[in-house]
Amino acid sequence: MTGKERREQLLAVSRKLFAEKGFEGTSVEEIAARAQVSKPVVYEHFGGKEGIYAVVVDREIEMLTGALTDALMLGGHPKAVLERTALALLTYIESNTDGFRILVRDSPVAQATGTFSSLIGDVATQVEHLLGEQFKRQNLDPKTAPIYARMLVGMVALTGQHWLDTRSPAKTDVAAHLVNLAWNGLSGLERKPTLGRRTDESGTKG
């Protein structure tokens, strides 16, 4: 193999192991054994487990961010944007199951290179601009758009994590249900929502 080919082989092997066992559960010895190379070869290309993990995570973040950004930037009616974004995340999960498993795991290395929660935060920042314009048109307070953006993106992301293992119902059906809840809820937003009367521990409203 050329150096480039060996590097790609090690990344593919490591990606599979990290998805199966997580960062802490994977060792350089396992990576080397599965790639049928010696440990020094892994160190030569990546400097250790942390280095190879960082590259794997960065690639997955770039891929998912690209898919979500494309869905958001196409513009159009906000409901259509929501539909595309939900489908984009589910399609990524469907096509890159190992990669998504790695992104949703927590590890010290992931925190240094970009956790799934920070990625979702970046997507929410893009969504809040779209929501802000929609809020203005509906005479709602655009200052609350960042909160609602994180609610929406968080809902889609958490549903995606659930669908990662269940794969039921079908991807398009999951996306449709997500949009049904999010859009029908958004279309009836109150200008100044308030909580109802306080309920004490006995269940009696005060």
Side-chain angles (χ1 to χ4, degrees):
M1 285 187 182
T2 65
K4 183 178 180 180
E5 289 171 339
R6 178 65 72 191
R7 180 181 173 87
E8 291 302 317
Q9 182 214 18
L10 290 171
L11 284 169
V13 166
S14 301
R15 183 175 182 267
K16 192 71 177 177
L17 281 168
F18 289 138
E20 292 173 1
K21 301 185 175 184
F23 175 77
E24 296 296 340
T26 300
S27 66
V28 172
E29 287 83 357
E30 287 179 291
I31 294 171
R34 191 169 293 192
Q36 297 183 330
V37 299
S38 63
K39 285 172 56 179
V41 172
V42 179
Y43 288 115
E44 177 186 348
H45 283 276
F46 297 99
K49 185 174 69 169
E50 292 80 3
I52 196 167
Y53 185 86
V55 175
V56 170
V57 169
D58 284 346
R59 284 189 173 189
E60 294 303 326
I61 287 177
E62 183 178 356
M63 190 181 306
L64 179 53
T65 301
L68 295 176
T69 300
D70 288 345
L72 290 167
M73 293 298 103
L74 283 174
H77 192 278
K79 185 177 181 181
V81 174
L82 181 59
E83 289 175 346
R84 287 198 307 268
T85 304
L87 271 175
L89 176 61
L90 295 172
T91 298
Y92 168 81
I93 294 171
E94 184 177 56
S95 304
N96 301 277
T97 300
D98 285 346
F100 190 72
R101 288 190 190 281
I102 293 169
L103 287 183
V104 298
R105 292 180 186 271
D106 289 326
S107 82
V109 177
Q111 292 172 9
T113 58
T115 62
F116 184 64
S117 60
S118 68
L119 170 64
I120 292 305
D122 292 341
V123 174
T125 299
Q126 297 182 50
V127 172
E128 71 183 58
H129 297 300
L130 299 172
L131 280 184
E133 293 301 316
Q134 182 71 8
F135 277 24
K136 290 177 184 177
R137 286 195 290 269
Q138 294 186 18
N139 199 27
L140 298 168
D141 185 1
K143 293 180 181 179
T144 62
I147 300 172
Y148 283 98
R150 280 152 183 78
M151 292 177 190
L152 281 172
V153 175
M155 178 181 71
V156 174
L158 189 58
T159 302
Q161 286 182 256
H162 171 73
W163 191 72
L164 172 68
D165 295 315
T166 63
R167 297 303 172 96
S168 178
K171 176 178 66 177
T172 52
D173 290 338
V174 175
H177 284 296
L178 277 167
V179 174
N180 182 39
L181 174 60
W183 183 253
N184 288 329
L186 286 173
S187 63
L189 286 180
E190 300 174 352
R191 289 183 61 187
K192 294 183 178 181
T194 59
L195 298 180
R197 289 182 300 171
R198 180 179 59 82
T199 301
D200 62 25
E201 293 181 358
S202 66
T204 303
K205 290 184 178 181

